[in-house]
């Protein structure tokens, strides 16, 4: 894309620099045979640079299926690790090395090994929001889209669920016949939303439907009209004939929905539901990732092999 001087003067400096970034990114992508993928919690500016926007599993699957040699993963560390596990021969780059996930950091492999010793007869199910090492110690992975299905399909009635206690307790309410031992982890962004705030929002917007992510507290889920993963939340709101929604998940989903649903009114349940780690990636960092091949995700072969088994068992069942 060439910007004529006259046209360039008519647009805002911010938009102009974004257009120039896009130009340079396209050039670098061709040179490096690269793709850019972005999670729905990324800023719209970053989402606009991506070849595909979605949840962690969709994005990892997209990367594994394509033939790009380099993947720029705009998200947080566990997501880029999952892409590397499923595409070990590709170069996976995380543009911001400090973009971690506090919930994933609440479980480490050593502590999980100790917990497994206490419950040797339990099947270990790990949420995709976990490190590669935790996946390598687990029997099967799940996402918020398929957690109920995965746990239901396990023959064993005793499950150790790691690390999200809120998603785990939601699954437990849906599959009451299983004994589910919960790890004490949580997402600080979803966990800070209270049922009181949701009730206040309902009073302010009495016609709105409450749509919540299962990482929210059980008391919040009790107030919801619909519970689902980011992908399901987006599908539900887009397809619904209703016009007003209170969204209980990270702000990026609200930004995306506002664009996708003209005329619908979309409210974030609590303005504090903003994941700082997800917002660390910027267009400048995406360009630098492509220019300087940074920051490359590397994992030990044994970790990749064991974690791949955990992810592949999930994919066979979903
Ligand atoms: O799996 C994902 O991408 C996350 C973190 C949440 C979701 O519900 O999609
Ligand atoms: Fe982790 Fe929560 Fe941020 Fe998702 S929103 S990356 S679970 S801290």
């Amino acid at each position: 894309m060439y910007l004529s001087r006259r046209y360039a003067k008519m647009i805002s400096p911010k938009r102009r620099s974004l257009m120039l970034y896009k130009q340079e990114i396209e050039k670098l992508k061709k040179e490096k045979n690269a793709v850019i993928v972005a999670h729905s919690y990324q800023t719209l500016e970053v989402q606009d640079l991506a070849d595909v926007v979605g949840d962690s599993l969709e994005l990892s699957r997209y990367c594994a299926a394509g033939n790009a040699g380099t993947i720029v993963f705009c998200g947080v560390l566990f997501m880029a690790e999952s892409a590397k596990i499923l595409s070990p021969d590709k170069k996976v780059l995380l543009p911001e090395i400090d973009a971690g996930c506090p919930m994933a950091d609440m479980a480490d492999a050593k502590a999980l090994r100790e917990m497994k010793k206490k419950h040797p007869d339990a099947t270990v199910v790990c949420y995709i929001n976990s490190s590669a090492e935790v996946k390598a110690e687990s029997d099967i992975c799940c996402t918020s889209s398929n957690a109920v299905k995965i746990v239901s399909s396990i023959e064993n009635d005793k499950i150790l669920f790691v690390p999200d206690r809120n998603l785990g307790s939601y699954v437990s309410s849906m599959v009451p016949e299983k004994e589910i031992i919960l790890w004490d982890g949580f997402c600080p962004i979803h966990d800070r939303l209270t049922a009181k705030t949701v009730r206040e929002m309902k009073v302010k917007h009495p016609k709105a439907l409450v749509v919540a992510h299962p990482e929210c507290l059980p008391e919040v889920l009790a107030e919801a009209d619909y519970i689902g993963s980011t992908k399901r939340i987006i599908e539900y709101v887009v397809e619904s004939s209703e016009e007003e929604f209170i969204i209980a998940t990270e702000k990026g989903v609200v930004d995306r929905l506002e664009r996708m649903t003209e005329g619908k009114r979309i409210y974030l349940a609590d303005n504090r539901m903003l994941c700082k780690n997800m917002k660390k990636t910027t267009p400048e960092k995406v360009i630098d990732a492509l220019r300087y091949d940074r920051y490359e995700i590397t994992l030990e072969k044994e970790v990749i092999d064991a974690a791949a088994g955990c992810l592949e068992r999930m994919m066979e069942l979903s």
Side-chain angles (χ1 to χ4, degrees):
M1 179 190 26
Y2 169 74
L3 297 182
S4 78
R5 269 202 210 151
R6 204 165 139 236
Y7 178 60
K9 269 191 197 159
M10 284 158 56
I11 54 180
S12 72
K14 191 172 176 202
R15 197 163 141 70
R16 191 159 61 230
S17 58
L18 275 175
M19 289 168 93
L20 292 171
Y21 285 148
K22 221 170 169 139
Q23 226 171 319
E24 177 160 7
I25 282 175
E26 286 310 317
K27 192 170 138 257
L28 286 165
K29 263 171 53 184
K30 275 203 196 98
E31 273 170 33
K32 306 224 162 174
N33 182 26
V35 286
I36 301 176
V37 301
H39 192 267
S40 304
Y41 293 165
Q42 293 285 297
T43 63
L44 287 180
E45 280 177 356
V46 171
Q47 291 186 23
D48 285 345
L49 300 176
D51 296 285
V52 57
V53 179
D55 67 23
S56 52
L57 186 64
E58 276 180 291
L59 298 178
S60 291
R61 274 185 163 148
Y62 173 88
C63 299
N67 49 20
T70 296
I71 294 152
V72 179
F73 206 114
C74 304
V76 292
L77 180 62
F78 78 82
M79 297 178 176
E81 284 185 346
S82 299
K84 181 70 186 174
I85 293 162
L86 294 176
S87 307
D89 299 329
K90 297 181 180 172
K91 186 179 278 183
V92 178
L93 305 173
L94 182 69
E96 166 55 64
I97 197 60
D98 287 331
C101 167
M103 163 153 57
D105 293 343
M106 289 177 194
D108 65 50
K110 187 165 173 276
L112 179 54
R113 279 193 292 273
E114 292 302 312
M115 192 74 156
K116 278 164 66 173
K117 275 190 210 150
K118 278 193 203 150
H119 304 282
D121 51 343
T123 297
V124 182
V125 179
C126 69
Y127 187 23
I128 196 155
N129 296 34
S130 54
S131 68
E133 287 76 14
V134 163
K135 287 187 178 78
E137 286 290 336
S138 301
D139 296 306
I140 186 163
C141 191
C142 73
T143 68
S144 40
S145 291
N146 62 23
V148 171
K149 191 170 170 195
I150 297 288
V151 170
S152 308
S153 62
I154 292 170
E155 268 184 36
N156 193 352
D157 281 339
K158 192 167 174 186
I159 308 286
L160 172 56
F161 193 91
V162 56
D164 188 5
R165 64 180 183 213
N166 290 336
L167 178 62
S169 87
Y170 169 67
V171 172
S172 183
S173 72
M174 301 299 281
V175 195
E177 63 278 18
K178 305 255 183 211
E179 181 194 350
I180 302 190
I181 302 150
L182 301 176
W183 193 269
D184 197 19
F186 59 92
C187 163
I189 286 79
H190 289 80
D191 199 75
R192 66 174 53 136
L193 174 66
T194 63
K196 182 170 170 279
T197 302
V198 177
R199 284 194 291 269
E200 284 164 8
M201 285 294 281
K202 279 184 178 179
V203 171
K204 250 172 132 177
H205 308 288
K207 288 197 184 140
L209 292 179
V210 176
V211 184
H213 194 282
E215 286 174 23
C216 292
L217 289 166
E219 59 174 50
V220 166
L221 299 184
E223 299 287 333
D225 296 293
Y226 181 78
I227 299 168
S229 63
T230 55
K231 179 175 156 63
R232 297 258 168 83
I233 288 177
I234 291 168
E235 287 165 357
Y236 178 81
V237 174
V238 168
E239 286 161 20
S240 170
S241 54
E242 297 296 320
E243 292 190 343
E244 279 186 74
F245 302 87
I246 296 164
I247 307 291
T249 192
E250 208 276 339
K251 183 177 180 297
V253 170
V254 170
D255 296 340
R256 236 187 126 187
L257 278 171
E258 276 174 345
R259 268 203 185 164
M260 294 167 86
T261 59
E262 224 185 54
K264 292 190 181 179
R265 286 183 294 284
I266 319 279
Y267 314 109
L268 183 61
D270 182 326
N271 285 334
R272 298 171 307 155
M273 294 183 84
L274 203 132
C275 177
K276 273 195 296 201
N277 283 284
M278 279 287 181
K279 310 302 184 207
K280 284 179 179 168
T281 309
T282 60
E284 292 87 336
K285 287 177 186 169
V286 175
I287 294 203
D288 282 349
L290 280 165
R291 274 189 194 137
Y292 310 118
D293 279 358
R294 72 191 192 196
Y295 294 91
E296 187 173 354
I297 302 294
T298 54
L299 294 167
E300 282 169 22
K301 189 178 176 317
E302 304 83 78
V303 172
I304 292 193
D305 291 345
C310 169
L311 281 166
E312 279 156 12
R313 282 190 283 279
M314 162 179 75
M315 291 195 287
E316 277 161 28
L317 287 176
S318 51

